[in-house]
Amino acid sequence: MIRNWGKSAAAALLLLSLTGCWNSKDIQTMDYATAIGLDYENGKYITYVQFLNFGNVGRNETMQIGKALPVWIGKGEGATLSESLSSIYATSQMRIFWGHVKTIVCSERMLRRGVEEAYNAANRFGEIRYNILVFGTKESLPDLFTQKSIFNLSPLDTIMFTPEQTFAQRSFIVPKTSNRVIADITEPAQAAMLPSIAINREVWKEDKKPRPMLTIDGAFFFKDQQATAWLSEDELAGTRWTQKELKRSLIRVPAEGKPKASLVLINPSYYVQSEVQNGRAVFDLSLKLDATVDELNENVSTEELERLGAEVVRDEIMMSFRNGLAKQVDVLKLEETLYRDHPKQWHALRKGNQPLLSDECIRKIIVKIDIRNTGKYKGRFR
């Protein structure tokens, strides 16, 4: 019995001597990265990492709406992206956790250099997920990372982290995750499009003080995994109707002159038929959209509104297609359709190194708009 007591005492002393697991970390003693910015200048990779204090940004009863929340940004430099990101460790004071990164933003210089290296380097950090959001930008990365949301809410409540909130009310350029961007860029006939994020300094004010807010102002387009062109949101107006993810987008009819009505268009059904005739590619486009009447300024019939709306959409599609042609970009992804439907003919046309698309390659665009309801107000209709 004495022998058993001695063993028990020895075990107890051993347990008391253990101070805990060496590798364990308290959550309050870690730096949480939320966004990464990638740039390239003078032969070096420059990275910016945004850090937020989740004790300040979390929703709780004691949180003060409107109180400015600090944003910390670490800057790294190196001959490689991994070296640049790792250089931040030397001064971080606490261990950096990458599992909360939700967004990567690439500068225009970085995009024109190529994105595959950036994607590979970022995903070698095992904590970073594959489905984070990716944007391009022409803005200063530190300026982007310090932007707050309305009411001084944290950057986590901005378009850079939650673009779906705005996209649900105003669908234009679809946000992209990193795995989808790489899938698009590596397709041989795909005109990969990456949303461009910017700072709008004109729309919002707090009392009389201007308050800049983030916005998606256009998109970068890629060839051979490098950004070769940028088009503004206005130049890409017609591409929104080709996106199955479209939730809600507004047009006025007619587009020029005194507006007769405003229509909200939803549920696009877009189809492209391709073929090769006399050694050149030709395309027929068809599009169906549901609509609701958002505003009615004149007593116009349903049929007339549907016809006018279809004209607006058709003109926008052709306008965006021509804007893309001017910069050698296939914004409507017509070449991809030919590649998938007629791969042998696509390869034959590509061997000539001649532009596959031209201003005459679209034979027709058929647009059908179906007005489903007129909203709560029933007057002045039909």
Side-chain angles (χ1 to χ4, degrees):
M1 183 174 180
I2 294 176
R3 184 181 302 170
N4 292 336
W5 181 88
K7 290 181 178 180
S8 299
L13 288 172
L14 180 62
L15 289 172
L16 290 173
S17 67
L18 296 177
T19 58
C21 179
W22 282 92
N23 292 325
S24 67
K25 296 290 181 182
D26 294 331
I27 59 174
Q28 68 270 21
T29 61
M30 298 180 72
D31 290 334
Y32 293 94
T34 50
I36 298 174
L38 305 178
D39 196 4
Y40 186 84
E41 188 175 12
N42 299 326
K44 285 187 176 182
Y45 290 96
I46 303 171
T47 54
Y48 299 91
V49 182
Q50 179 195 76
F51 297 93
L52 295 178
N53 183 336
F54 287 102
N56 291 335
V57 303
R59 299 287 193 268
N60 55 63
E61 294 180 358
T62 61
M63 180 181 178
Q64 298 180 28
I65 300 296
K67 180 181 178 181
L69 302 173
V71 178
W72 288 73
I73 300 173
K75 179 182 178 181
E77 294 186 13
T80 67
L81 273 171
S82 295
E83 181 182 317
S84 181
L85 286 169
S86 297
S87 69
I88 299 174
Y89 291 147
T91 55
S92 65
Q93 312 302 314
M94 295 186 289
R95 179 174 178 174
I96 294 177
F97 180 69
W98 302 93
H100 285 300
V101 171
K102 295 185 65 178
T103 301
I104 290 180
V105 184
C106 300
S107 71
E108 185 174 14
R109 285 188 295 256
M110 186 72 197
L111 293 176
R112 294 192 181 277
R113 180 174 175 80
V115 297
E116 185 178 17
E117 185 178 359
Y119 180 79
N120 290 336
N123 282 289
R124 290 189 187 279
F125 284 73
E127 296 166 348
I128 297 180
R129 293 166 291 177
Y130 292 99
N131 61 344
I132 58 179
L133 291 164
V134 182
F135 296 96
T137 189
K138 295 185 175 186
E139 301 276 0
S140 159
L141 289 170
D143 288 349
L144 277 180
F145 283 2
T146 53
Q147 289 303 310
K148 306 293 198 305
S149 184
I150 191 170
F151 307 130
N152 278 323
L153 293 175
S154 82
L156 295 181
D157 295 300
T158 64
I159 288 175
M160 192 165 69
F161 291 94
T162 55
E164 65 276 4
Q165 300 293 332
T166 301
F167 191 78
Q169 290 187 311
R170 181 183 180 273
S171 304
F172 227 95
I173 297 175
V174 178
K176 296 286 185 72
T177 55
S178 60
N179 50 0
R180 182 171 173 183
V181 170
I182 291 299
D184 289 349
I185 287 175
T186 53
E187 284 283 350
Q190 176 75 275
M193 183 173 74
L194 180 67
S196 168
I197 195 167
I199 302 172
N200 184 298
R201 298 173 173 85
E202 306 297 329
V203 175
W204 289 89
K205 287 186 177 182
E206 181 182 9
D207 296 328
K208 295 184 178 181
K209 180 181 178 182
R211 294 303 301 264
M213 293 288 165
L214 295 180
T215 185
I216 296 177
D217 65 338
F220 292 94
F221 288 83
F222 292 79
K223 182 178 181 181
D224 298 328
Q225 302 182 21
Q226 293 179 319
T228 58
W230 180 87
L231 279 83
S232 70
E233 186 183 71
D234 288 341
E235 291 175 311
L236 295 171
T239 64
R240 55 182 158 162
W241 314 119
T242 69
Q243 301 172 144
K244 64 180 180 180
E245 299 92 342
L246 181 131
K247 304 291 185 184
R248 182 184 190 275
S249 206
L250 182 76
I251 62 169
R252 68 175 187 182
V253 293
E256 302 294 335
K258 182 180 178 182
K260 296 182 179 181
S262 296
L263 302 179
V264 173
L265 306 182
I266 58 174
N267 300 331
S269 178
Y270 175 64
Y271 177 73
V272 177
Q273 183 178 359
S274 64
E275 61 179 308
V276 176
Q277 284 188 349
N278 301 321
R280 68 184 186 95
V282 290
F283 303 90
D284 297 329
L285 283 59
S286 62
L287 174 67
K288 293 182 179 180
L289 291 150
D290 293 335
T292 60
V293 178
D294 197 61
E295 183 179 15
L296 189 64
N297 300 317
E298 293 184 14
N299 193 11
V300 184
S301 70
T302 304
E303 292 77 13
E304 179 68 4
L305 287 178
E306 291 173 341
R307 184 188 66 80
L308 291 172
E311 285 184 2
V312 171
V313 171
R314 190 182 303 109
D315 290 344
E316 284 189 356
I317 291 173
M318 276 305 302
M319 177 269 295
S320 292
F321 175 68
R322 287 169 177 153
N323 289 335
L325 277 185
K327 297 185 179 181
Q328 299 182 348
V329 174
D330 177 17
V331 299
L332 300 180
K333 300 182 180 180
L334 302 181
E335 189 174 341
E336 180 190 0
T337 303
L338 183 65
Y339 168 73
R340 297 191 182 282
D341 294 344
H342 309 285
K344 291 183 179 180
Q345 292 171 304
W346 178 83
H347 282 287
L349 290 173
R350 295 296 293 176
K351 286 180 181 178
N353 291 324
Q354 296 295 322
L356 192 147
L357 304 179
S358 66
D359 199 42
E360 297 79 29
C361 71
I362 296 180
R363 287 187 303 195
K364 58 183 177 181
I365 302 176
I366 299 174
V367 180
K368 175 70 170 67
I369 290 179
D370 183 9
I371 294 179
R372 295 300 182 94
N373 66 72
T374 62
K376 292 187 293 184
Y377 183 59
K378 304 300 182 183
R380 297 182 65 184
F381 201 72
R382 293 190 183 279

